[in-house]
Amino acid sequence: SQQGEEDPQALSIQEGENATMNCSYKTSINNLQWYRQNSGRGLVHLILIRSNEREKHSGRLRVTLDTSKKSSSLLITASRAADTASYFCATDNAGNMLTFGGGTRLMVKP
Amino acid sequence: ETGVTQSPTHLIKTRGQQVTLRCSSQSGHNTVSWYQQALGQGPQFIFQYYREEENGRGNFPPRFSGLQFPNYSSELNVNALELDDSALYLCASSLEGTLGETQYFGPGTRLLVL
């Protein structure tokens, strides 16, 4: 079963716009991670936010975590065509055994 | 590139057969996890190995089994293949001992069961 649910399932934007993806989960967590996947290939780790953190930045990425609402968001600013991919949130509540959501498919049009 | 390699990249089997997938962890990592990703879905945790012992298991039947070797490389074995086993199989390595350590994923093995 999948703990996380991403919203929206698919997102299409123009290059230069911002993209926001949301993730909800069900149980308590140690941390929440965001991954990117291009065309059904391997997952690339983007950012990890711990349960005692509320916001984290990495380059054009901004992640927020609200443990009271059991939700997280990933913001990609100034999107590029190369950002086109599927994005997954994953929760870790026991020793790096991740529970993934269903993903958001992002398309950035040039 | 994460330093995690998997072989083979693609595989076609028929129902009832057995398959072995291989994973070489990133240097220095002592923990490997395996995930199954069906088409259009997120990965699902199969199991994790730490220092050659199974450290945790997801909701997968016993016909999914694994091994971790002293050099921390790993195998995933699936017996009595079913059509629903068709998926991308991903392994990920990490360094146990620190909560929330980043996992590094390999490129995956795509298995098709006919």
Side-chain angles (χ1 to χ4, degrees):
Chain A
S1 62
Q2 297 188 312
Q3 158 153 252
E5 293 293 334
E6 277 96 336
D7 171 51
Q9 291 186 336
L11 180 61
S12 181
I13 59 175
Q14 294 294 134
E15 208 166 26
E17 294 181 338
N18 295 341
T20 300
M21 289 159 263
N22 301 297
C23 168
S24 61
Y25 57 92
K26 298 174 185 173
T27 64
S28 62
I29 60 172
N30 291 325
N31 65 72
L32 185 144
Q33 303 176 33
W34 285 90
Y35 286 84
R36 165 194 167 128
Q37 185 177 43
N38 288 80
S39 302
R41 295 165 67 182
L43 294 162
V44 176
H45 182 266
L46 296 177
I47 198 164
L48 180 153
I49 186 165
R50 301 188 192 282
S51 59
N52 61 353
E53 298 176 312
R54 292 296 167 260
E55 187 171 314
K56 205 161 183 179
H57 297 253
S58 177
R60 294 185 295 114
L61 305 180
R62 172 179 170 255
V63 168
T64 62
L65 179 64
D66 187 335
T67 53
S68 66
K69 295 182 180 178
K70 291 187 171 58
S71 66
S72 174
S73 68
L74 170 67
L75 169 67
I76 303 174
T77 60
S79 63
R80 307 165 181 167
D83 294 330
T84 294
S86 292
Y87 292 82
F88 294 92
C89 70
T91 54
D92 177 2
N93 57 8
N96 292 341
M97 301 173 205
L98 301 178
T99 303
F100 284 84
T104 293
R105 292 184 302 280
L106 173 66
M107 175 173 288
V108 181
K109 300 175 184 176
Chain B
E1 294 294 326
T2 63
V4 180
T5 59
Q6 292 186 244
S7 62
T9 56
H10 296 82
L11 200 53
I12 299 176
K13 291 284 189 179
T14 55
R15 196 170 46 182
Q17 286 188 314
Q18 178 266 341
V19 69
T20 297
L21 310 181
R22 295 178 175 83
C23 171
S24 179
S25 301
Q26 181 160 319
S27 178
H29 285 182
N30 55 15
T31 302
V32 65
S33 302
W34 285 90
Y35 294 83
Q36 179 196 66
Q37 185 178 22
L39 196 62
Q41 297 184 22
Q44 291 204 11
F45 174 72
I46 303 175
F47 44 55
Q48 182 183 90
Y49 278 80
Y50 169 62
R51 293 185 176 178
E52 304 175 54
E53 296 284 336
E54 187 178 290
N55 192 40
R57 190 178 185 93
N59 189 27
F60 280 81
R63 60 188 185 85
F64 286 78
S65 64
L67 282 173
Q68 187 182 30
F69 300 101
N71 65 355
Y72 301 133
S73 64
S74 176
E75 288 182 355
L76 164 65
N77 299 290
V78 187
N79 293 322
L81 283 167
E82 300 177 359
L83 298 180
D84 285 349
D85 296 334
S86 294
L88 180 69
Y89 288 85
L90 297 161
C91 76
S93 73
S94 57
L95 183 59
E96 183 70 343
T98 305
L99 278 178
E101 186 65 29
T102 297
Q103 293 200 38
Y104 295 87
F105 281 80
T109 293
R110 190 164 295 281
L111 172 65
L112 177 62
V113 181
L114 301 175

